Amino acid sequence: MIKKVGIIGAGTMGSGIAQVAATAGCKVVLFDAHSTVIVKSEANLERILNRLIEKGRMDEVRKEEIQENIHYARSMHEMEDVDVVIEAIVENLEVKHKVFKDIEAIVRPDCILATNTSSLSIAAIAGCLKRPERCVGIHFFNPAPLMKLVEIIPAIQTSEAVLKTSMATISDWGKTAVKVKDTPGFIVNRVARPFYGEALRIYEEGIANFSTIDHAMKTIGGFRMGPFELMDFIGNDVNYTVTETVFKAFYYDPRYKPSFTQKRLSEAGWLGRKSGKGYYSYTDNTLQTSETINTDEKVLKEIANRIIVMLINEAADALFWNIASAEDIDKAMTLGVNYPKGLLAWADEKGIDHCVYILDHLYDTYLEDRYRCSPLLRRLSTEGKTFF
Ligand code: NAI
């Protein structure tokens, strides 16, 4: 049973994870290399909890309980008696190795050492430890207190006991844990790639402008945000880097090829909302555009169908390669990135044959490996079966 949690890195993710653990009743020791970050983290939590009180979702007593559960540490040495450490520092293997080696010398031999990495392999992080079997990936989504999904990634070195405790702890914290193979992008950052990549491709081919593609995905697809709005929200620098990392990690599989359009925006500093300009402009945080939406129903349907089928193909391929179970792949996309439906259930609904037909049509048109149909989709189609 996990009672005391150490968190290294008090930035966006570390602070959010600390709030989740403290709210669930765990004692938290939160450390950051920069003391100013710690001060900011404490002030942010105060603001967040006050807002929850204003909304009537919490009272003063509960707020104090949560705050008292978090100890802002001056040194990692204050983590000597924690049950688990969750690392949420910069995404750099060398820096992470140094921190993992340092923390291993401080904590108990049975303490779990988890990483919140989005893109590094868990095996590579565990590789620097004396006891690599205690290392596991516990990947939260931003903002951690709001997003239900947590991907749990055992490395090839991870022990069954560590995996079991990690899964149980995340459930105790009120989150949905899905077990994922240690592969690039895990579930969400892999399966979501076509949402951005295919939208960019449709734009680059001149089929439609940003506003039309976003409109199609929201009205026909039922997504809360269109791909371009979402990339502007995430930041074109961040989103581009994730795509490039996944592309390289998959040995340059053309399916994950990044887009020049996004690269140029990132290079120009058109990062999206945070810089005031991206695919759209933002004044007082309100989206501005002079584009005209093409409202032709046929065009909108074609755009939405092409992107959704590419997403379905990615989800099917993740299942084909045993990255996670069909249930967990669908849960991951609805709870991790708020998709309106699980992609595999969506494939069943659309018809497997229809998905294969669209993919084969794209492949015949472009003769590019990017559009190859997953062997699993094709097999289901041949056998007349469905995912669920
Ligand atoms: P951030 O930049 O907000 O916070 C990182 C913090 O780590 C900074 O406050 C920094 O001072 C601290 N730090 C750096 N080196 C340190 C060291 N050696 N010892 C102690 N503290 C150190 O970054 P963010 O966004 O919170 O990301 C942290 C990790 O979580 C990364 O591995 C990232 O890939 C992952 N992640 C990020 C998500 C996001 O949407 N931002 C989502 C899921 C995972």
Side-chain angles (χ1 to χ4, degrees):
M1 176 89 175
I2 300 294
K3 292 198 177 127
K4 195 162 179 184
V5 184
I7 297 173
I8 308 176
T12 312
M13 295 309 292
S15 298
I17 299 166
Q19 187 190 331
V20 171
T23 305
C26 286
K27 292 284 174 203
V28 176
V29 181
L30 181 59
F31 171 74
D32 196 285
H34 300 100
S35 52
T36 48
V37 176
I38 284 285
V39 173
K40 209 170 127 197
S41 173
E42 194 168 1
N44 272 348
L45 181 65
E46 167 85 16
R47 199 174 38 79
I48 291 166
L49 297 180
N50 281 342
R51 216 165 43 214
L52 290 176
I53 292 176
E54 275 165 34
K55 286 185 186 167
R57 297 215 209 122
M58 188 177 284
D59 58 20
E60 280 290 342
V61 179
R62 185 84 182 103
K63 173 187 157 188
E64 272 173 35
E65 264 172 24
I66 295 168
Q67 285 177 318
E68 276 168 18
N69 276 345
I70 305 181
H71 169 66
Y72 296 89
R74 288 175 174 274
S75 149
M76 288 204 299
H77 284 275
E78 294 179 59
M79 293 186 190
E80 60 185 6
D81 61 343
V82 300
D83 304 305
V84 59
V85 171
I86 303 176
E87 165 276 312
I89 65 162
V90 281
E91 193 74 334
N92 175 308
L93 186 61
E94 242 174 84
V95 184
K96 288 201 198 274
H97 270 175
K98 163 121 187 45
V99 164
F100 271 86
K101 280 187 197 160
D102 289 348
I103 195 69
E104 189 173 36
I106 294 169
V107 295
R108 290 194 318 258
D110 64 338
C111 173
I112 295 175
L113 297 180
T115 173
N116 187 49
T117 183
S118 293
S119 63
L120 299 168
S121 106
I122 313 302
I125 294 172
C128 76
L129 295 173
K130 289 200 175 107
R131 290 170 177 263
E133 65 278 7
R134 59 156 98 190
C135 186
V136 65
I138 301 188
H139 185 223
F140 286 82
F141 289 79
N142 188 17
L146 295 184
M147 302 308 285
K148 274 257 165 214
L149 183 78
V150 179
E151 294 176 326
I152 308 282
I153 311 108
I156 47 173
Q157 303 101 313
T158 309
S159 74
E160 262 311 306
V162 165
L163 171 62
K164 224 172 122 190
T165 307
S166 306
M167 299 284 294
T169 303
I170 291 306
S171 300
D172 287 348
W173 291 359
K175 300 285 180 191
T176 301
V178 293
K179 186 183 143 198
V180 194
K181 233 188 210 176
D182 187 12
T183 46
F186 311 132
I187 302 176
V188 171
N189 282 335
R190 170 195 189 132
V191 173
R193 298 293 17 110
F195 189 70
Y196 317 107
E198 204 53 27
L200 281 156
R201 167 91 187 219
I202 290 168
Y203 162 76
E204 283 171 355
E205 280 187 36
I207 296 170
N209 60 18
F210 305 137
S211 305
T212 303
I213 299 169
D214 278 354
H215 183 70
M217 290 307 278
K218 287 190 286 187
T219 55
I220 312 276
F223 288 81
R224 286 193 202 168
M225 277 174 128
F228 295 100
E229 278 176 81
L230 186 54
M231 285 185 275
D232 270 357
F233 183 77
I234 294 168
N236 282 302
D237 49 343
V238 173
N239 190 258
Y240 179 80
T241 305
V242 176
T243 306
E244 196 182 40
T245 308
V246 171
F247 179 54
K248 285 182 182 164
F250 274 109
Y251 305 111
Y252 303 97
D253 185 331
R255 221 162 51 202
Y256 306 109
K257 198 154 108 187
S259 135
F260 281 126
T261 301
Q262 191 174 32
K263 186 157 202 272
R264 294 293 175 263
L265 258 72
S266 179
E267 287 166 345
W270 295 8
L271 308 181
R273 272 185 190 270
K274 63 185 172 187
S275 70
K277 185 163 176 55
Y279 300 105
Y280 303 110
S281 296
Y282 299 87
T283 314
D284 296 330
N285 225 12
T286 308
L287 188 153
Q288 319 272 347
T289 179
S290 54
E291 284 179 343
T292 310
I293 295 174
N294 180 348
T295 51
D296 183 337
E297 190 82 356
K298 188 168 169 283
V299 173
L300 295 174
K301 274 190 176 152
E302 265 177 24
I303 292 169
N305 207 26
R306 175 165 164 179
I307 299 173
I308 293 164
V309 169
M310 286 293 277
L311 285 165
I312 286 171
N313 195 38
E314 206 51 57
D317 219 46
L319 181 60
F320 177 69
W321 292 108
N322 290 307
I323 303 309
S325 68
E327 288 78 11
D328 282 356
I329 291 171
D330 271 13
K331 258 190 232 163
M333 302 316 285
T334 49
L335 302 178
V337 268
N338 291 326
Y339 279 16
K341 285 177 208 169
L343 291 166
L344 301 175
W346 214 340
D348 287 349
E349 198 180 290
K350 275 187 175 293
I352 306 290
D353 290 347
H354 171 74
C355 297
V356 171
Y357 170 80
I358 298 287
L359 287 160
D360 284 350
H361 178 68
L362 286 166
Y363 188 87
D364 289 344
T365 307
Y366 297 107
L367 293 177
E368 282 179 54
D369 207 27
R370 170 189 183 89
Y371 297 106
R372 69 185 187 272
C373 175
S374 167
L376 179 57
L377 261 186
R378 197 174 299 285
R379 189 165 80 212
L380 290 180
S381 162
T382 311
E383 294 173 358
K385 289 185 179 158
T386 52
F387 284 105
F388 296 105

